[in-house]
Amino acid sequence: MPNIGGPGDTTRRICAMVAKSVIMYAAPVWMKVWKTKTYKEKLERLNRRLSIKVARAYRTVRHNAVLVIAGLPPLELLAIEKDDIEKGKSKETSRRDLLANWQARWNEEKCWTRVDKEY
């Protein structure tokens, strides 16, 4: 999909969610090897490409920033959410935990937009 023109935002999000559904179907399998650097990098690279296409961003944008702009949570957090639901946690509680973890990661991010001084 090109960044300029091409399908609209809704179509882009649907395509990304279909791809993520296929990935998340195998989440119980790849979650066990998530600590392996090569597998983790491959999945993060795929997630980044999906997010860049949804957000119509340049490829130079930071990974965490493009995830926030596209509104697509990291795969690791989605896998944890799915695992929690399978263990009996409610969907609402699992989603709340996912968003809280995602927000915590964003708050820890060091970037030029972060200002630590009080005025």
Side-chain angles (χ1 to χ4, degrees):
M1 285 184 274
N3 281 349
I4 300 173
D9 294 335
T10 306
T11 306
R12 288 172 184 266
R13 282 191 63 80
I14 289 172
C15 288
M17 294 313 293
V18 167
K20 280 199 171 195
S21 294
V22 170
I23 295 166
M24 294 311 297
Y25 180 75
V29 175
W30 62 254
M31 195 170 163
K32 295 174 185 171
V33 295
W34 185 258
K35 294 175 182 153
T36 307
K37 186 178 178 182
T38 55
Y39 294 120
K40 184 176 181 178
E41 286 175 352
K42 285 181 182 181
L43 288 169
E44 285 180 350
R45 207 173 321 144
L46 176 65
N47 196 26
R48 176 178 163 73
R49 289 187 70 184
L50 285 172
S51 300
I52 286 173
K53 292 300 179 186
V54 169
R56 297 182 186 207
Y58 291 111
R59 59 191 176 129
T60 56
V61 70
R62 292 176 63 100
H63 179 68
N64 290 334
V66 78
L67 289 175
V68 171
I69 293 168
L72 301 174
L75 289 174
E76 181 182 13
L77 295 180
L78 286 172
I80 292 169
E81 177 192 31
K82 185 174 182 177
D83 189 47
D84 287 347
I85 291 171
E86 287 180 3
K87 288 180 180 175
K89 210 175 200 184
S90 71
K91 287 184 179 182
E92 293 81 21
T93 307
S94 297
R95 179 53 61 150
R96 215 173 304 124
D97 291 346
L98 178 141
L99 293 175
N101 289 336
W102 195 14
Q103 183 66 48
R105 282 186 181 188
W106 181 250
N107 290 340
E108 291 172 2
E109 183 75 18
K110 300 292 183 198
C111 57
W112 65 272
T113 58
R114 186 88 44 220
V115 178
D116 292 331
K117 297 179 183 177
E118 292 184 25
Y119 294 99

